[in-house]
Amino acid sequence: MTLTTPTTPTSLSSSTTPVPPQVRTICCLGAGYVGGPTMAVIADRCPQIQVTVVDLNAERIAAWNDADLSRLPVYEPGLDAVVARNRGRNLHFSTEVDAAIAKADMVFISVNTPTKTRGIGAGQASDLRWVEACARQVAQAARGHTIVVEKSTLPVRTAEAIQTILAASQNQLPQRPTGNGEAPRTFSVLSNPEFLAEGTAIADLEAPDRVLIGGDDPAAIEALAGIYGQWVAPEQILRTNLWSSELSKLTANAFLAQRISSINSIAALCEATGADVREVARAIGADSRIGAKFLGAGPGFGGSCFQKDILNLVYLCRHFGLAEVADYWESVVTLNSWQQQRIARLVVQKLFGTVSGKRIAVLGFAFKANTNDTRESPAIRICRDLLEEGAQLAIHDPKVSEAQIATDLGQKEQQNQHWQLVASPAEAVNGADAVLVLTEWQAYAALDWPALAGSMRQPAWLFDARGICDAAAARAAGLQVWRLGAAYGNASSGE
Ligand code: UDX
Ligand code: UDX
């Protein structure tokens, strides 16, 4: 990441008129968890706009075009219906990247930006090579005036890099010979971070708390605001400068993640003292200044964004010499890692100090319920630690594939002797010494403990890291129960 001293952003647009250009065609680069659902909803709400989502991954595009909607590459409740309504009409999925860019009035960049694994900033800074490649491709293939919208979550001041690449192309190849009176190539860059959460993407897109548009070209800003204005109230569309928009996204994710680390730290204290974290969360959440959301203690936050964005923030702070600020935010990630480690350690300790050869039913592998996404899922670290201790894992998840788990656990399916993906919670639990609940799938809240307990090897344990199981029923069925954030043996009034 190249960082420079902040300067006043300059417009790349040759236009000075605030009249927004009409957007008839949109191209989105990246058909992932963000690009796919976002474009599906834009197409749904703006039937007058042709939306094409492109991706370098041909298999992914084929899955988006699959006639069987249960095979879309992203699982999101309600997504299949939105795709079914619009696909082939004004929503298209394609690998023809250049052609889609050339036709587009507006190009969204929605490719992944993982944490760098090598080089300067490794382990913290985002790897922007895909974003840069996209900017270069847009610079090459665009025609006329193109509004480029930064949708991926990016370190602050990335728009500047995109602008620089586009400006270079604008200056070097301004008048591509077309012979048909085509307008000169000009660009405007906007930041429009996405705040959707996986599992509720369609609902979040259809009724967002706010839409954030950062930029310095009023006409481009209004063009994008006009699209969202088809279904979002005007007062919910916020306009800022580019850098505020970029920083707001990192800050929002850092604040959300910080709440989770805060409540998880208190959960550990509850276990030590006999308080109950659910009661504490209810009590503090009733304070309107604190609010009740995002106070669910659990095995730690996962997902593609939280850790990456905080590490970006940390890198940024260090770059600007703000060591104390960097340390402050880094501690949110440190606590999250500790939480995952402590759960694995606790399971081993409760099972008489060894899990070697013991069958443990792991319920849930996705990083949260209602998604097939496992990126940064706490289950990965916890399962790896238990495998390291010699456990035999019987894993159940309603949406995650065996191939994905094999990748995450770093083992080949066919060679694996130590874990298996099973078809039902009952099958996972059969013969197990312990059940470990890691994802809050609704089905796990309604498990039939009297029936399950009978199939387990006694003495058997339930470790509920999400606090969703009926602990009283499990205890009545003869299981020993550990629930995150509650002292063992200290049955809380909530149960
Ligand atoms: C989102 C955000 O946009 C990103 O900033 C954040 O880091 C992770 O979450 P997401 O949609 O979840 O990204 O990523 P992913 O599901 O991996 O999709 C990205 C897609 O872009 C992939 O399908 C990949 O094949 C595609 N891609 C990547 C390209 O088409 N071209 C590239 O050059 C790079
Ligand atoms: C997050 C942000 O919410 C979203 O605005 C942003 O665009 C992308 O990052 P996402 O990662 O999809 O969305 O899911 P989120 O619901 O935020 O959950 C993140 C993680 O926090 C999950 O692992 C979840 O289980 C955990 N979590 C969430 C808790 O442990 N407790 C809570 O109370 C809430």
Side-chain angles (χ1 to χ4, degrees):
M1 176 167 63
T2 310
L3 293 163
T4 53
T5 310
T7 51
T8 309
T10 52
S11 172
L12 286 172
S13 170
S14 59
S15 159
T16 50
T17 166
V19 176
Q22 207 181 352
V23 177
R24 294 191 197 84
T25 44
I26 287 177
C27 164
C28 175
L29 307 178
Y33 282 89
V34 172
T38 307
M39 292 304 124
V41 169
I42 288 181
D44 198 36
R45 298 304 173 123
C46 305
Q48 74 283 9
I49 300 179
Q50 288 293 322
V51 181
T52 304
V53 191
V54 295
D55 203 294
L56 295 179
N57 182 337
E59 235 175 84
R60 203 163 228 206
I61 290 298
W64 279 109
N65 283 321
D66 202 309
D68 178 356
L69 290 165
S70 71
R71 295 173 62 179
L72 295 180
V74 169
Y75 172 72
E76 279 294 339
L79 175 63
D80 49 357
V82 180
V83 171
R85 270 202 299 280
N86 302 289
R87 198 174 55 186
R89 189 192 68 171
N90 67 330
L91 176 63
H92 314 279
F93 295 94
S94 164
T95 50
E96 305 285 314
V97 181
D98 282 350
I101 293 172
K103 272 192 257 164
D105 300 317
M106 185 176 271
V107 175
F108 286 81
I109 298 182
S110 189
V111 296
N112 41 333
T113 50
T115 303
K116 279 181 85 171
T117 52
R118 51 199 289 195
I120 298 166
Q124 289 191 336
S126 270
D127 189 340
L128 298 180
R129 78 177 106 158
W130 310 123
V131 171
E132 185 182 329
C134 287
R136 290 186 190 281
Q137 200 160 6
V138 174
Q140 200 55 42
R143 298 282 185 280
H145 183 63
T146 308
I147 299 171
V148 178
V149 184
E150 177 186 272
K151 193 56 140 167
S152 302
T153 306
L154 294 165
V156 182
R157 306 192 69 78
T158 304
E160 195 170 53
I162 298 176
Q163 275 182 330
T164 307
I165 291 167
L166 296 175
S169 105
Q170 190 175 309
N171 295 336
Q172 282 166 15
L173 303 160
Q175 308 297 340
R176 186 189 292 270
T178 60
N180 59 5
E182 194 181 283
R185 288 142 41 85
T186 52
F187 301 97
S188 288
V189 178
L190 299 177
S191 159
N192 173 222
E194 185 46 65
F195 294 102
L196 67 80
E198 288 177 30
T200 53
I202 299 301
D204 293 343
L205 286 162
E206 290 182 337
D209 283 348
R210 80 308 208 178
V211 165
L212 183 55
I213 302 176
D216 63 311
D217 173 0
I221 292 172
E222 292 320 308
L224 184 54
I227 292 171
Y228 286 110
Q230 300 287 311
W231 77 97
V232 179
E235 63 274 14
Q236 285 172 306
I237 302 178
L238 311 182
R239 295 155 176 84
T240 66
N241 75 31
L242 268 177
W243 328 132
S244 298
S245 171
E246 291 179 328
L247 186 57
S248 299
K249 170 68 185 190
L250 294 187
T251 307
N253 277 344
F255 269 58
L256 290 168
Q258 179 204 41
R259 278 175 76 95
I260 299 169
S261 280
S262 297
I263 200 70
N264 283 342
S265 73
I266 297 301
L269 189 59
C270 286
E271 289 162 28
T273 58
D276 183 326
V277 76
R278 287 202 299 216
E279 295 177 347
V280 174
R282 198 168 69 232
I284 66 168
D287 184 327
S288 62
R289 295 169 301 175
I290 296 175
K293 292 182 183 167
F294 259 72
L295 289 177
F301 55 78
S304 69
C305 284
F306 282 177
Q307 178 166 316
K308 172 174 72 69
D309 288 354
I310 294 178
L311 293 178
N312 255 322
L313 204 56
V314 169
Y315 185 70
L316 200 65
C317 294
R318 293 239 158 86
H319 176 85
F320 286 109
L322 301 169
E324 288 76 8
V325 183
D327 291 349
Y328 173 73
W329 286 109
E330 195 164 30
S331 73
V332 172
V333 174
T334 307
L335 195 114
N336 197 52
S337 303
W338 173 78
Q339 178 77 341
Q340 296 173 19
Q341 283 166 5
R342 99 175 169 94
I343 289 175
R345 273 202 301 264
L346 187 132
V347 170
V348 174
Q349 181 216 326
K350 296 285 187 204
L351 295 182
F352 308 114
T354 175
V355 291
S356 184
K358 291 180 181 169
R359 180 176 169 100
I360 298 176
V362 174
L363 301 188
F365 201 83
F367 81 97
K368 61 187 270 194
N370 295 318
T371 179
N372 61 347
D373 195 349
T374 64
R375 287 177 289 181
E376 304 294 339
S377 177
I380 299 173
R381 173 65 173 272
I382 294 169
C383 287
R384 278 175 178 252
D385 284 358
L386 291 172
L387 287 170
E388 191 67 25
E389 292 289 329
Q392 298 281 333
L393 304 183
I395 303 171
H396 174 263
D397 190 287
K399 290 290 172 194
V400 178
S401 69
E402 186 172 18
Q404 186 60 52
I405 297 174
T407 304
D408 291 336
L409 295 182
Q411 302 182 13
K412 291 249 181 319
E413 293 135 272
Q414 58 274 30
Q415 293 170 356
N416 159 58
Q417 303 289 313
H418 304 292
W419 65 267
Q420 54 175 318
L421 179 67
V422 298
S424 67
E427 194 183 336
V429 167
N430 193 12
D433 292 274
V435 184
L436 173 56
V437 179
L438 293 180
T439 312
E440 74 284 19
W441 287 102
Q442 198 50 42
Y444 303 152
L447 291 172
D448 180 356
W449 289 109
L452 293 175
S455 74
M456 295 179 73
R457 192 167 80 141
Q458 302 299 330
W461 277 86
L462 163 62
F463 297 99
D464 184 4
R466 291 281 183 176
I468 54 159
C469 295
D470 185 344
R475 278 200 191 99
L479 298 186
Q480 308 204 58
V481 178
W482 173 85
R483 173 162 68 69
L484 190 99
Y488 173 58
N490 175 35
S492 97
S493 54
E495 294 178 0

